[in-house]
Amino acid sequence: MADGIYRFPEGFLWGTATAAHHVEGHMNNSWSHWEAMETGAVFKKQKNGRACEWWDGRWVEDFDRMQYLGHNTHRLSVEWSRIQPEPDKIDESALQKYREMLEGLQKRGMRPMVTLHHFTNPMWLENEGGWLANSTVDRFIKFTEMVVDALGDLNDFWCTFNEPMVYAVQAYLVAMFYPGKRNPFKMYRCAELMLRAHAGAYQIIKSRYPNALVGVAKHLLKIDPLPPKIVNGLPIKLVESVFHRAFIEAMVTGELRLPLRKTVVIPNLAGTYDYAGLNFYQRYRGGFAPLSPKTFFLKQVPDDESPPSPPMWGEIYPQGTFERINYIWNVMRKPIYITETGTPDEGDNVRPWYIARMVHSVWQAINFNVPVRGIYYWTLLDNFEWTAGYNPQFRFGLYATNFETQERTIRQSGEFFREISLANGLSSEMVRKYVPQLEEKLFPGSHGQREVKLPSRG
Ligand code: BGC
């Protein structure tokens, strides 16, 4: 019996994404500081601790796992506080370790993508004023220079900032990340400084390696207002313009436009991206909830079909990937990488469904001629999850991690994503095997096809 397949273009990148604070362990940065603070807002006051022990060398076995998954890429981040533990000190051994990791990826046939900033800062930087101090822009550019000079021969794919607006909001508007401020103008300032830092970092990387690809990973929610639009539509527009549009539009035009603030022109910013990175996870359908800062001031009314999601996560809505890809494409008009996408699901009841719908949604975009070039699944293995710490409700891995023994066990969804990666496509056979309830939706008629019986000759 023939199988249907949603085939992806040749050379499509399949991989997972991780970041230093999630997996390395033994951290001494703004986040470990936050974990130790009374106001630190982490689930059960948990500490990052050993995390997944990558810094102790366990990355080797985990890179083997990525290879087993048939991946040709992996996105990881380098930790600023390790590389520059003090303002005037560079730790060459940390850079050396990252070199080994990048070589480890290449040896296993995976193209690395390196993120320079994924939510953490050295404490000395925070003490200088963090992302509110002008000097941080220069600090970040110098840090970039250091990293690119040390690793640039092994990596040509850079993400300067992971989710800059999420960081700005969490750190300066809703007090969920260090330094725990609640001031919209501080949030604006943080976003502006990150844009300035990005522009400088872009120039540095390109001056050394003109062919390198540089961009940011932009987090987008899907937001669908419910009636009455007059009440819900307008506030949602505000959320859209501040959280979604402002940062990426500034990368296009060089001008940062935010409500209640004069337009800021940022020199050398316009056009500083070779690709658009999209992190997409969830939808909020409903209305404005002025008393719910932790859900981006959005109330959640999920669709009947949507699976249950942990508190404050929003609605698990992988079908929305297509629309969000189109959104970022319309603003940025450069090749797109899904730099993160995934779902929390310890029991692995929802993840196979999520993967099938997400992959199908990306395929749809490609078939509308949007140049999507790769998918980085969040994430390889269960790890430390910011304010959720090690809360079992927030397990994102294709592999389950036992944090006592450091044992990893592949989930069904890991096997499923592996088959997709190896086949460079999503087939009806895979869907039948891992998410039979979706077969008729994704491959309509395939049941019928199986039932066709040709009359026997004679
Ligand atoms: C972040 C990751 C995080 C993931 C799941 C993204 O917003 O970049 O660091 O773990 O979401 O919450």
Side-chain angles (χ1 to χ4, degrees), residues 141-202:
I141 297 168
K142 294 250 161 59
F143 167 64
T144 302
E145 190 171 19
M146 238 181 280
V147 174
V148 171
D149 286 344
L151 309 178
D153 59 325
L154 297 173
N155 180 58
D156 62 356
F157 201 7
W158 300 92
C159 169
T160 55
F161 286 96
N162 178 67
E163 303 186 348
M165 285 312 294
V166 171
Y167 175 80
V169 168
Q170 304 279 38
Y172 294 109
L173 184 68
V174 299
M176 299 296 275
F177 289 6
Y178 188 84
K181 303 285 181 224
R182 296 175 200 273
N183 180 328
F185 293 98
K186 288 190 169 149
M187 170 189 74
Y188 281 5
R189 179 155 178 74
C190 169
E192 178 193 328
L193 294 189
M194 285 187 153
L195 280 165
R196 291 184 190 277
H198 165 80
Y202 184 89

Side-chain angles (χ1 to χ4, degrees), residues 15 28 33 54 74 101 143 191 199-200 226 260 319 322 378 409 437:
N28 180 12
H33 192 82
W54 276 24
H74 177 68
M101 288 188 194
F143 167 64
L226 284 175
L260 302 176
Q319 328 65 308
F322 174 59
W378 187 270
T409 313
Q437 72 274 25

Side-chain angles (χ1 to χ4, degrees), residues 19 22 75 118-119 162-163 166 219 279 281 313 340 378 383-386 394 396:
H22 289 277
R75 172 175 173 232
H118 196 122
F119 295 168
N162 178 67
E163 303 186 348
V166 171
H219 179 269
N279 289 7
Y281 287 90
W313 181 249
E340 283 179 34
W378 187 270
N383 54 40
F384 180 84
E385 172 57 29
W386 308 118
F394 287 86
F396 287 83

Side-chain angles (χ1 to χ4, degrees), residues 227-396:
K229 281 226 167 121
I230 197 95
V231 182
N232 291 328
L234 276 177
I236 282 176
K237 263 206 175 120
L238 183 73
V239 175
E240 280 273 7
S241 76
V242 176
F243 298 126
H244 289 169
R245 273 204 112 81
F247 202 93
I248 45 178
E249 249 172 27
M251 290 171 72
V252 178
T253 62
E255 294 181 359
L256 176 60
R257 292 170 195 277
L258 288 161
L260 302 176
R261 201 189 190 221
K262 266 203 350 228
T263 299
V264 185
V265 178
I266 300 181
N268 302 321
L269 174 65
T272 53
Y273 57 101
D274 305 304
Y275 67 90
L278 169 62
N279 289 7
F280 176 66
Y281 287 90
Q282 66 273 80
R283 167 167 93 155
Y284 289 86
R285 191 170 67 133
F288 194 52
L291 299 180
S292 303
K294 290 177 187 167
T295 55
F296 295 90
F297 302 102
L298 297 167
K299 184 170 64 192
Q300 188 191 341
V301 185
D303 203 273
D304 286 347
E305 273 179 63
S306 294
S309 53
M312 291 190 312
W313 181 249
E315 181 184 358
I316 298 172
Y317 197 70
Q319 328 65 308
T321 314
F322 174 59
E323 189 274 335
R324 293 286 84 181
I325 289 172
N326 283 319
Y327 178 95
I328 206 163
W329 168 242
N330 284 327
V331 179
M332 301 186 87
R333 296 273 160 186
K334 289 271 172 80
I336 294 168
Y337 293 86
I338 310 298
T339 33
E340 283 179 34
T341 181
T343 191
D345 176 26
E346 191 189 23
D348 211 40
N349 304 310
V350 173
R351 194 174 292 101
W353 173 86
Y354 183 95
I355 288 175
R357 299 232 61 175
M358 176 275 291
V359 168
H360 175 252
S361 204
V362 173
W363 179 89
Q364 254 183 310
I366 293 172
N367 281 273
F368 274 77
N369 291 315
V370 182
V372 188
R373 299 275 158 82
I375 296 174
Y376 292 85
Y377 194 77
W378 187 270
T379 180
L380 177 72
L381 74 172
D382 296 342
N383 54 40
F384 180 84
E385 172 57 29
W386 308 118
T387 49
Y390 293 106
N391 182 346
Q393 283 191 297
F394 287 86
R395 300 266 151 100
F396 287 83

Side-chain angles (χ1 to χ4, degrees), residues 47-246:
K47 309 251 184 333
N48 172 285
R50 297 182 296 151
C52 301
E53 294 191 338
W54 276 24
W55 209 246
D56 295 320
R58 229 178 254 281
W59 61 267
V60 176
E61 52 172 280
D62 285 336
F63 284 15
D64 288 343
R65 293 190 171 92
M66 297 171 193
Q67 193 176 25
Y68 169 77
L69 293 176
H71 288 173
N72 51 12
T73 191
H74 177 68
R75 172 175 173 232
L76 48 68
S77 79
V78 289
E79 173 61 33
W80 191 349
S81 64
R82 288 195 196 283
I83 294 171
Q84 198 177 3
E86 288 163 38
D88 49 7
K89 196 173 146 200
I90 301 179
D91 185 342
E92 296 292 343
S93 69
L95 284 167
Q96 182 50 33
K97 217 174 232 192
Y98 286 123
R99 281 192 72 80
E100 285 162 25
M101 288 188 194
L102 297 181
E103 282 163 355
L105 287 175
Q106 284 175 355
K107 231 174 47 202
R108 291 168 179 81
M110 287 179 278
R111 179 185 185 179
M113 176 196 248
V114 173
T115 306
L116 292 164
H117 187 276
H118 196 122
F119 295 168
T120 58
N121 299 306
M123 267 322 280
W124 59 260
L125 189 93
E126 297 284 5
N127 295 334
E128 289 179 353
W131 286 98
L132 300 179
N134 279 327
S135 54
T136 291
V137 173
D138 238 36
R139 291 285 196 198
F140 183 78
I141 297 168
K142 294 250 161 59
F143 167 64
T144 302
E145 190 171 19
M146 238 181 280
V147 174
V148 171
D149 286 344
L151 309 178
D153 59 325
L154 297 173
N155 180 58
D156 62 356
F157 201 7
W158 300 92
C159 169
T160 55
F161 286 96
N162 178 67
E163 303 186 348
M165 285 312 294
V166 171
Y167 175 80
V169 168
Q170 304 279 38
Y172 294 109
L173 184 68
V174 299
M176 299 296 275
F177 289 6
Y178 188 84
K181 303 285 181 224
R182 296 175 200 273
N183 180 328
F185 293 98
K186 288 190 169 149
M187 170 189 74
Y188 281 5
R189 179 155 178 74
C190 169
E192 178 193 328
L193 294 189
M194 285 187 153
L195 280 165
R196 291 184 190 277
H198 165 80
Y202 184 89
Q203 313 297 346
I204 287 285
I205 300 171
K206 297 301 256 193
S207 72
R208 307 290 201 276
Y209 295 95
N211 295 327
L213 298 181
V214 187
V216 305
K218 180 72 185 85
H219 179 269
L220 294 182
L221 302 162
K222 180 154 171 53
I223 309 177
D224 294 331
L226 284 175
K229 281 226 167 121
I230 197 95
V231 182
N232 291 328
L234 276 177
I236 282 176
K237 263 206 175 120
L238 183 73
V239 175
E240 280 273 7
S241 76
V242 176
F243 298 126
H244 289 169
R245 273 204 112 81

